[in-house]
């Protein structure tokens, strides 16, 4: 363990001990609000709650993230219908699947947009995950399901959008001008250890600052049968700096700066982080550095309803250096094992304005914007001199992806009951290869114009029921990997054409939402939202083997999602149900990225006087057969949890969490995860916040 990591762990323990006997005022909110009643930030309009949007969207807040003691963002998705992690589900081998879109080995990263503080995060490398960051530094995670989100976030978001917001200084400074928060967690299966220290201050009336450090390490774990799953352990040190300055008349203007860095340096790690089990690939020493810079300017222009401006400048850079591979390095397929340097560096600018128009029975909010980005992909593999060109990594072709997009979206509200949301986006995409010729193939530049229209409607029947529906279409241009990978791994001279067509996904949704108040007690609430959807994807880009791609005629995906939540002073419940079906329209074969039908149920109670919250969370998955001999058995995994936050006495302000994950030590494997699931694990967390 390095000196920096030892220092972080020491600081966490020290500050926890120093502040152990301090008291903190805890604000209580007597009004029950379910997860479906949370405000959504990513739909373009202020103060919109999840259940009222004509789109399937789920908001995970700070309590969700801390209570689940998640080591990766994918572990949060059990609470969201239609969303799962893919790959290995471990820190460096995780990608995402939304409604059957996305798999660990299929270059699906571009079908799901991941944003961190507004910066698009994208990483695509063979046998490696796509997003590297620590949930300890997250404040909120939103998942917008379906291509309707392409209007605001970019063409090609066929699966949807994952928006991640990091911790803010304001959340720690409710009652004073300085605060320190510490957290320690430990998991018995795999010796998972994490620690974080967050300090926030308010410097005067206009400036707030935050600095945070976190350290996390995970080792090999055992499955429900006691077998060790090896090669997927990792350790990472993360840091976050965030400042917000308000100024101008009525403090209508704000400037926010944030910088997040995650550094993962591991020796003798499995090169294959998707399965961790492929002996052909062996082990490597791997160093991944992920950085995200964001500068955001906001101006509400108080008194002028036509102007509410946001300007965001982002820079994201993900670098991976791997060396000292245990397997042989040679040209062709073995080049993936060679000492290599890979990276994605993306600079983007987003300018967005919201205009408001209103009359006695009509309100309208119109969002217009411009988004420009430039992404540079580099890959250098050091193979045998004179035999293989080291300037072009065969499995990671170098090039530049440049985009410019214009979009407009309206929210038209009639008589506070009927809401109509039209939207359109036009993107121009330019792809260019660093190499002119590879394996005799002329890698010509390409230009695509992509159009993403949508129309959504919601109608509030009464104070309890509402219905909604939408039609949306988006197009996805081939990625640099898909267009310019022309390797010849078997030496036969077979390379694939670079003339891929853009994918076109058409989506239709219809749904029902209901909110019930005062069911059992005066302050309880029950929310439920059901969404049925259908996708038709033309010119679907499919991976053939390891290094080539082709357009298939069409793919069809359909399904049903149900999300429900109950909240009262003494009890709470949460339900997420998903049934997704998908097939190749030409052959009728089931798509291998379709998840098994599943149900996640959380049931719990709380005793506010004692600060106790307890319950059980169950994940139930059905059998699934992909029609090619690949079958997965159904299973049920049950987790127990207990959270204790003393409300008085010397321990007031301490937050203790205890979980038993996979309490019955079930042996199972999820159809979208390439390794067996983790067996029983005992997890404990200790958190302390102090304001002064």
């Amino acid at each position: 363990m390095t000196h920096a990591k030892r220092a972080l762990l020491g600081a966490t323990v020290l500050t926890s001990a120093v502040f152990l006997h301090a008291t903190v005022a805890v604000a209580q909110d007597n009004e029950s609000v379910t997860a479906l009643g949370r405000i959504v930030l990513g739909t373009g309009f202020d103060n919109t709650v999840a259940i009222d949007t004509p789109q399937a969207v789920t908001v995970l807040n700070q309590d969700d993230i801390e209570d689940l003691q998640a080591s990766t963002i994918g572990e949060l998705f059990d609470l969201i219908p239609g969303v799962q992690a893919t790959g290995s589900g471990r820190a460096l081998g995780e990608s995402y699947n939304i409604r059957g879109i996305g798999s660990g080995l299929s270059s699906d990263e571009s079908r799901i947009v991941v944003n961190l503080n507004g910066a698009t995060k994208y990483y695509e490398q063979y046998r490696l995950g796509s997003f590297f960051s620590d949930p300890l530094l997250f404040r909120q995670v939103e998942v917008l399901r379906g291509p309707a989100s392409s209007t605001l976030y970019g063409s090609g978001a066929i699966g949807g959008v994952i928006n991640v917001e990091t911790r803010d200084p304001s959340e720690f400074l409710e009652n004073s001008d300085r605060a320190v928060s510490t957290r320690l967690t430990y998991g018995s299966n795999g010796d998972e250890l994490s620690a974080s220290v967050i300090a926030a201050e308010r410097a005067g009336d206009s400036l707030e600052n935050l600095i945070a450090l976190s350290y996390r390490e995970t080792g090999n774990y055992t499955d429900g049968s006691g077998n060790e799953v090896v090669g997927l352990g990792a350790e990472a040190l993360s840091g976050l700096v965030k400042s917000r300055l308000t100024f101008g008349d009525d403090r209508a203007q704000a400037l926010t700066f944030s910088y997040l860095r995650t550094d993962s340096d591991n020796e003798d790690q499995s090169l294959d982080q998707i399965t961790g089990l492929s002996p052909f690939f062996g082990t490597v020493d791997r160093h991944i550095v992920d950085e995200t810079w964001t500068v955001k300017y906001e101006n509400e222009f108080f008194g002028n309803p036509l102007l509410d401006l946001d300007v965001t400048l982002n820079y994201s850079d993900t670098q991976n250096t791997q060396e000292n591979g245990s397997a042989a390095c040679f040209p062709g397929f073995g080049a993936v094992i060679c000492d290599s340097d890979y990276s994605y560096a993306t600079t983007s600018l987003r300018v967005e304005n919201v205009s408001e128009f209103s009359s006695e029975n009509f309100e309208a909010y119109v969002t217009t914007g411009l988004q420009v980005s430039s992404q540079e992909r580099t890959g250098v593999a050091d193979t045998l001199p004179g035999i293989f060109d080291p300037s072009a990594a065969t499995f990671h072709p170098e090039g530049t992806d440049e985009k410019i997009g214009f979009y407009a979206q309206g929210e038209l509200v009639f008589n506070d009951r009927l809401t109509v949301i039209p939207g359109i986006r036009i993107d121009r995409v330019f792809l260019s290869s660093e190499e002119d010729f590879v394996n005799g193939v002329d890698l010509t530049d390409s230009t695509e114009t992509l159009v993403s229209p949508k129309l959504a409607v919601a109608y509030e029947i009464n104070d309890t029921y509402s219905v909604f529906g939408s039609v949306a279409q988006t197009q996805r241009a081939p990625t640099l990997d898909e267009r310019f990978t022309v390797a010849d791994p078997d030496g036969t001279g077979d390379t694939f054409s670079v003339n891929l067509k853009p994918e076109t996904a058409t989506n239709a949704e219809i749904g029902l939402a209901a909110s019930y108040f005062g069911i059992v007690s005066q302050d309880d609430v029950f929310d439920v939202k059901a969404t049925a959807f259908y996708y038709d994807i033309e010119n679907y880009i499919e991976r053939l083997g390891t290094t080539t791609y082709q357009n298939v005629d069409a793919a069809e995906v359909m399904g049903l999602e149900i999300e429900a939540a109950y909240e009262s002073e003494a009890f709470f419940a949460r339900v997420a149900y998903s049934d997704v079906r998908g097939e190749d329209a030409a052959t009728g074969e089931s798509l291998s990225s379709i998840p098994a039908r599943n149900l996640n149920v959380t049931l719990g109670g709380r005793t506010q006087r004692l600060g106790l919250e307890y319950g059980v969370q169950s994940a139930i998955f059905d059998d699934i057969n992909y029609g090619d001999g690949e079958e997965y058995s159904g299973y049920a995994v049950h987790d127990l949890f207990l959270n204790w936050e003393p409300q008085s006495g010397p321990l007031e302000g301490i937050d203790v969490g205890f979980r038993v994950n996979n309490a019955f030590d079930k042996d199972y494997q999820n159809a979208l995860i390439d390794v067996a699931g983790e067996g029983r694990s005992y997890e404990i967390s200790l958190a302390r916040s102090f304001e002064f």
Side-chain angles (χ1 to χ4, degrees):
M1 187 182 300
T2 66
H3 294 299
K5 295 166 186 173
R6 288 194 185 97
L8 175 58
L9 286 171
T12 304
V13 175
L14 177 63
T15 51
S16 296
V18 168
F19 300 137
L20 186 63
H21 298 292
T23 58
V24 131
V26 179
Q28 299 290 335
D29 187 355
N30 295 323
E31 183 179 354
S32 297
V33 177
T34 74
L36 285 165
R38 295 172 182 165
I39 293 177
V40 181
L41 301 177
T43 56
F45 311 108
D46 292 335
N47 300 321
T48 299
V49 298
I51 196 169
D52 294 333
T53 62
Q55 180 181 0
V57 55
T58 300
V59 179
L60 303 177
N61 65 10
Q62 189 62 47
D63 289 338
D64 294 328
I65 297 169
E66 292 179 349
D67 291 348
L68 287 169
Q69 299 182 30
S71 59
T72 69
I73 187 175
E75 294 178 16
L76 301 173
F77 293 155
D78 287 344
L79 301 176
I80 305 178
V83 186
Q84 292 187 44
T86 67
S88 67
R90 301 295 274 179
L92 300 181
E94 184 177 81
S95 297
Y96 312 109
N97 179 289
I98 301 179
R99 292 180 170 177
I101 304 297
S103 61
L105 288 175
S106 296
S107 300
D108 280 351
E109 287 86 347
S110 63
R111 295 187 177 106
I112 296 172
V113 175
V114 180
N115 291 315
L116 177 63
N117 289 340
T120 300
K121 303 297 295 182
Y122 184 85
Y123 191 83
E124 180 183 55
Q125 184 186 329
Y126 186 59
R127 302 271 172 175
L128 199 63
S130 60
F131 180 62
F132 316 106
S133 195
D134 193 338
L136 284 173
L137 302 181
F138 297 167
R139 178 179 65 88
Q140 180 165 298
V141 178
E142 294 179 356
V143 181
L144 294 80
R145 304 187 287 281
S149 50
S150 291
T151 303
L152 297 180
Y153 294 103
S155 60
I158 297 173
V161 173
I162 300 171
N163 286 327
V164 179
E165 293 289 331
T166 56
R167 305 301 293 265
D168 275 336
S170 59
E171 63 183 289
F172 299 95
L173 303 173
E174 295 181 358
N175 305 301
S176 65
D177 292 332
R178 294 177 183 85
V180 174
S181 177
T182 64
R183 176 171 290 270
L184 281 168
T185 66
Y186 175 76
S188 64
N189 196 341
D191 285 331
E192 298 188 24
L193 177 67
S194 66
S196 69
V197 177
I198 302 175
E201 70 159 355
R202 181 179 293 111
D205 296 330
S206 58
L207 179 63
E208 295 178 342
N209 301 304
L210 177 145
I211 184 170
L213 288 173
S214 71
Y215 169 72
R216 184 182 299 276
E217 66 176 36
T218 58
N220 299 332
Y221 66 86
T222 57
D223 62 21
S225 295
N227 301 312
E228 186 178 14
V229 178
V230 301
L232 300 176
E235 60 177 331
L237 182 65
S238 299
L240 169 67
V241 177
K242 200 169 191 178
S243 297
R244 180 177 174 84
L245 173 68
T246 57
F247 56 96
D249 295 339
D250 298 321
R251 304 201 183 281
Q253 301 179 66
L255 189 64
T256 303
F257 166 81
S258 69
Y259 171 65
L260 178 63
R261 176 188 172 99
T262 297
D263 189 315
S264 179
D265 195 0
N266 305 277
E267 296 181 355
D268 297 325
Q269 184 184 59
S270 176
L271 183 142
D272 175 17
Q273 283 293 297
I274 299 298
T275 70
L277 303 175
S278 302
F280 172 84
F281 296 107
T283 62
V284 295
D285 295 341
R286 174 178 281 133
H287 185 198
I288 294 178
V289 177
D290 184 273
E291 297 180 291
T292 307
W293 299 79
T294 301
V295 179
K296 183 177 182 179
Y297 169 74
E298 304 166 82
N299 193 336
E300 297 185 42
F301 289 96
F302 289 146
N304 188 343
L306 299 182
L307 294 175
D308 188 347
L309 182 67
D310 286 354
V311 180
T312 306
L313 177 66
N314 297 304
Y315 177 76
S316 171
D317 187 15
T318 305
Q319 302 177 29
N320 172 31
T321 299
Q322 59 188 47
E323 55 189 2
N324 301 325
S326 64
C329 163
F330 55 90
F333 190 66
V336 72
I337 304 169
C338 303
D339 290 357
S340 313
D341 289 286
Y342 305 103
S343 75
Y344 277 91
T346 306
T347 303
S348 63
L349 174 67
R350 181 187 181 110
V351 181
E352 183 176 281
N353 183 68
V354 179
S355 300
E356 179 181 351
F357 308 87
S358 62
S359 63
E360 183 177 353
N361 298 312
F362 172 76
E363 292 178 275
Y365 304 89
V366 179
T367 302
T368 55
L370 164 69
Q371 191 170 7
V372 180
S373 68
S374 177
Q375 180 184 92
E376 183 179 3
R377 186 191 212 228
T378 60
V380 177
D382 297 327
T383 57
L384 301 179
I387 299 177
F388 185 76
D389 180 4
S391 65
T394 308
F395 292 85
H396 197 96
E398 297 181 305
T400 302
D401 181 343
E402 297 178 328
K403 296 184 177 73
I404 180 169
F406 301 90
Y407 58 92
Q409 175 176 286
E411 182 182 30
L412 315 177
V413 184
F414 302 89
N415 296 316
D416 291 329
R417 290 197 177 274
L418 175 64
T419 301
V420 180
I421 302 179
I424 190 167
R425 183 184 184 104
I426 300 175
D427 285 289
R428 189 78 165 164
V429 181
F430 308 89
L431 297 181
S432 60
S433 172
E434 183 70 17
E435 302 293 324
D436 295 328
F437 291 88
V438 173
N439 290 338
V441 178
D442 183 3
L443 300 182
T444 58
D445 297 348
S446 71
T447 302
E448 303 286 355
T449 300
L450 311 175
V451 182
S452 302
K454 77 171 181 184
L455 177 64
V457 178
Y459 181 70
E460 184 179 326
I461 300 172
N462 52 38
D463 291 340
T464 301
Y465 299 103
S466 61
V467 293
F468 60 91
S470 67
V471 177
Q473 185 178 88
T474 190
Q475 294 180 295
R476 185 184 76 90
T479 64
L480 290 166
D481 198 44
E482 291 165 337
R483 181 166 177 79
F484 296 130
T485 296
V486 289
D488 180 18
D490 55 9
T492 62
D494 293 331
T495 57
F496 196 74
S497 170
V498 295
N499 296 319
L500 290 171
K501 300 176 182 178
E503 294 176 343
T504 300
T506 303
N507 169 258
E509 299 187 13
I510 189 169
L512 171 69
S515 294
Y516 303 90
F517 299 92
I519 304 169
V520 178
S521 61
Q522 184 177 2
D523 66 341
D524 69 350
V525 57
F526 174 67
D527 291 330
V528 60
K529 189 172 185 178
T531 307
F533 59 88
Y534 172 81
Y535 286 80
D536 178 40
I537 307 174
E538 298 181 354
N539 296 319
Y540 187 82
I541 299 175
E542 180 182 61
R543 189 173 201 153
L544 292 178
T546 305
T547 59
T548 56
Y549 301 86
Q550 71 171 4
N551 289 111
V552 298
D553 291 338
E556 294 181 339
V557 179
M558 63 193 71
L560 172 67
E561 297 167 351
I562 300 175
E563 188 171 9
Y566 173 80
E567 195 77 26
S568 71
E569 182 178 346
F571 300 101
F572 59 92
R574 195 164 178 175
V575 175
Y577 172 79
S578 175
D579 184 359
V580 182
R581 312 292 173 92
E583 64 180 28
D584 185 322
T587 65
E589 295 181 357
S590 179
L591 298 176
S592 60
S593 60
I594 297 300
R597 181 171 49 183
N598 61 87
L599 172 69
N600 190 285
V601 179
T602 301
L603 299 174
R606 59 172 65 95
T607 305
Q608 292 189 356
R609 180 177 58 84
L610 300 177
L612 286 175
E613 191 171 270
Y614 47 86
V616 59
Q617 181 179 342
S618 299
I620 304 166
F621 283 78
D622 199 358
D623 300 340
I624 189 166
N625 185 340
Y626 292 109
D628 55 359
E630 190 177 11
E631 300 182 24
Y632 293 86
S633 300
Y635 63 89
V637 174
H638 308 284
D639 303 338
L640 307 176
F641 62 88
L642 172 68
N643 299 317
W644 180 42
E645 192 172 356
Q647 301 298 297
S648 61
L651 297 182
E652 183 180 355
I654 298 294
D655 187 351
V656 180
F658 180 71
R659 294 182 65 91
V660 184
N661 291 335
N662 195 357
F664 299 105
D665 209 17
K666 178 70 175 178
D667 184 24
Y668 71 97
Q669 182 175 344
N670 187 287
L672 298 183
I673 301 293
D674 290 311
V675 293
E678 188 173 320
R680 183 188 297 116
S681 180
Y682 300 96
E683 301 188 0
I684 188 168
S685 68
L686 173 65
R688 186 69 173 100
S689 294
F690 176 69
E691 296 185 34
F692 56 96

